[in-house]
Amino acid sequence: MTVARPPADGAVAREAPADQSAVRRGNLGRVLRLLRDEGPRSRARIAEETGLNKATVSSLVAELAERGLVTDGDVDRGGSVGRPGLLVQLDGRAVCAIGVELNVDFVAILVLDLRGDVLLQHRMALDVPALGAEGTLDEVARLVQQARAATAHAVPVGLTVAVPGLVRSVDGVVTFAPNLGWRDVPVLAGLTARLAPDHPVRVENDANLSAIAEWASGPEARTPNLVYLTGEVGVGGGVIVDGRLLRGTAGFAGEVGHNPLGDPSVVCGCGRRGCWETAVGLGALLRAAADPGDPVRDSSRDLETRLAEIAARADAGDRRTLDALAEVGAALGTGAAVLINVVDPEVVLLGGYFAVLGRFLVEPMTEALRRRVFAADRAGARVVLSTLGFTAAVRGGAHVALESVFDDPALVPVGGPRAPEPSHP
């Protein structure tokens, strides 16, 4: 990176230290991102790949090590002739980030360290609409406190909460989450009051965070143009265009589940009729596949257990289950075709229950895509099943929280962060 030298003007010269400080923070971030994205590197190779001189790289690596973010690894066996150097690798075991997802019938939490390794993950069944916003935030705060106690060796640098609905991320207000029954709920303020954190807290739409997780670490990581569709009680979408999350004017892009693609006689949880999620959401599948009172429709039971039972019935050739899956798959293709026609992605990723039951959904879905995508051969878009399962949103939340360190490693104090005393909720 070429940095312009400030002119010899007195006023500008007085601002130079701040400029140099910003440049150094940026270079610290460049080195840290390189190690994250490309793996361990010798100091010489870091200098070569960043364009920074060797002395600068040595100074940057030393500072990152003092902050507990990198450490020396193995000897560089592939280095140049001469005395081999040591590889520099991410450390960051004392730094972690927390992702939380609250949904209609569960709350989940996941903690990542700086290297992206999972330190803790947990999901529990919870009737969020019945519990209400205040009771749900109490439960979220309790889970976060328990996670902090269980990972007390690592100081959290951020917490991101995923919510299925319209989220005003600038102030963390959930303006409308129809399947939760929430309107204008100040999630950020509520959790800040309960946790008094000394790190950033963010609130984001669940599908957007899932798309970020897929782009960062999923099977199609770094795909520039990607559409992610998640199926749970509601249906959401996250769209990556040219490597960036598409947010829209007010940050509400991705609410694909409420496109008018369903039966206009069916009322959606949002109060409107004919929304796409009434045709492809989990409720639509369960209603078509099982009668009321069937265990697979009991929302107090673990969702993955219920989905496994549906898959077992389909594998056993149960006609009602197979017909229900085929109907949902076709409807899924109809809506995905609209997105392909508009966005022209390389990949359509299926997450949530769509991924779990994907082997039954992909064939009717792709048949619908063949009929409805305007360009030949589905415009080249591939349908891929997510491997992140129901952890995508919490993983994306933790990833977003970690970005603050990669943006500015100087946020972590020299000497490394000191772990807090375990909290006892």
Side-chain angles (χ1 to χ4, degrees):
M1 179 175 69
T2 301
V3 180
R5 297 178 185 233
D9 175 81
V12 175
R14 283 191 295 270
E15 296 176 5
D19 292 341
Q20 291 302 313
S21 176
V23 169
R24 185 169 181 83
R25 290 198 304 272
N27 286 336
L28 287 168
R30 288 181 68 191
V31 172
L32 204 61
R33 286 180 184 275
L34 177 67
L35 296 174
R36 179 194 66 184
D37 296 341
E38 304 298 337
R41 294 286 193 272
S42 67
R43 288 163 177 79
R45 189 171 178 186
I46 293 171
E48 178 183 345
E49 294 181 0
T50 61
L52 300 168
N53 65 55
K54 293 182 180 179
T56 298
V57 167
S58 292
S59 174
L60 294 171
V61 169
E63 181 174 338
L64 290 171
E66 289 175 345
R67 297 182 188 277
L69 302 177
V70 303
T71 188
D72 284 330
D74 296 333
V75 173
D76 181 15
R77 302 295 181 185
S80 57
V81 177
R83 182 179 178 181
L86 295 176
L87 295 174
V88 181
Q89 61 189 18
L90 282 185
D91 188 353
R93 287 169 291 181
V95 175
C96 70
I98 304 171
V100 170
E101 179 184 7
L102 56 93
N103 218 301
V104 175
D105 50 10
F106 70 87
V107 173
I109 189 167
L110 181 141
V111 183
L112 295 179
D113 69 11
L114 192 68
R115 296 169 297 190
D117 294 332
V118 176
L119 301 181
L120 177 148
Q121 68 180 91
H122 176 64
R123 188 181 74 214
M124 70 175 189
L126 192 70
D127 189 342
V128 170
L131 192 58
E134 293 300 315
T136 299
L137 294 182
D138 287 342
E139 287 297 312
V140 169
R142 184 179 64 80
L143 278 179
V144 171
Q145 289 167 339
Q146 289 180 339
R148 284 165 139 180
T151 58
H153 67 282
V155 173
V157 295
L159 163 67
T160 309
V161 181
V163 182
L166 297 178
V167 177
R168 197 167 63 218
S169 57
V170 66
D171 59 0
V173 172
V174 177
T175 62
F176 186 33
N179 291 314
L180 303 183
W182 289 11
R183 279 188 181 273
D184 298 321
V185 176
V187 173
L188 174 58
L191 288 178
T192 300
R194 287 166 170 83
L195 295 170
D198 57 1
H199 53 74
V201 177
R202 302 171 181 84
V203 185
E204 294 281 356
N205 172 268
D206 63 335
N208 282 345
L209 289 175
S210 296
I212 289 171
E214 295 289 354
W215 187 87
S217 59
E220 300 293 327
R222 301 302 191 268
T223 300
N225 298 288
L226 175 153
V227 169
Y228 174 86
L229 298 174
T230 181
E232 294 182 25
V233 173
V235 173
V239 180
I240 304 289
V241 176
D242 292 335
R244 294 180 177 274
L245 180 69
L246 181 65
R247 288 188 173 276
T249 302
F252 296 155
E255 287 296 335
V256 297
H258 299 287
N259 284 330
L261 297 169
D263 184 342
S265 68
V266 179
V267 178
C268 179
C270 72
R272 298 174 178 84
R273 292 179 178 271
C275 292
W276 189 31
E277 72 178 44
T278 66
V280 299
L282 181 62
L285 173 67
L286 295 179
R287 286 191 297 271
D291 293 327
D294 190 302
V296 299
R297 293 184 62 170
D298 182 358
S299 61
S300 67
R301 299 179 65 220
D302 179 69
L303 177 56
E304 292 189 63
T305 300
R306 293 189 286 149
L307 294 176
E309 291 179 16
I310 291 173
R313 294 178 189 183
D315 285 331
D318 180 72
R319 178 46 49 192
R320 180 174 178 177
T321 303
L322 290 169
D323 287 346
L325 289 164
E327 183 178 348
V328 168
L332 188 57
T334 298
V338 175
L339 296 172
I340 292 173
N341 286 334
V342 172
V343 179
D344 188 22
E346 297 167 56
V347 172
V348 177
L349 262 166
L350 301 183
Y353 98 80
F354 296 150
V356 176
L357 299 177
R359 58 195 174 96
F360 305 107
L361 300 174
V362 167
E363 184 175 343
M365 178 183 177
T366 53
E367 177 58 32
L369 291 176
R370 279 193 289 269
R371 295 195 310 269
R372 296 184 178 277
V373 173
F374 182 70
D377 193 28
R378 307 193 305 274
R382 294 177 290 113
V383 177
V384 177
L385 304 182
S386 169
T387 60
L388 299 182
F390 289 100
T391 70
V394 285
R395 186 177 290 272
H399 175 82
V400 166
L402 282 176
E403 281 300 297
S404 62
V405 178
F406 290 99
D407 288 339
D408 185 5
L411 292 174
V412 180
V414 171
R418 290 185 294 272
E421 291 297 321
S423 56
H424 300 283

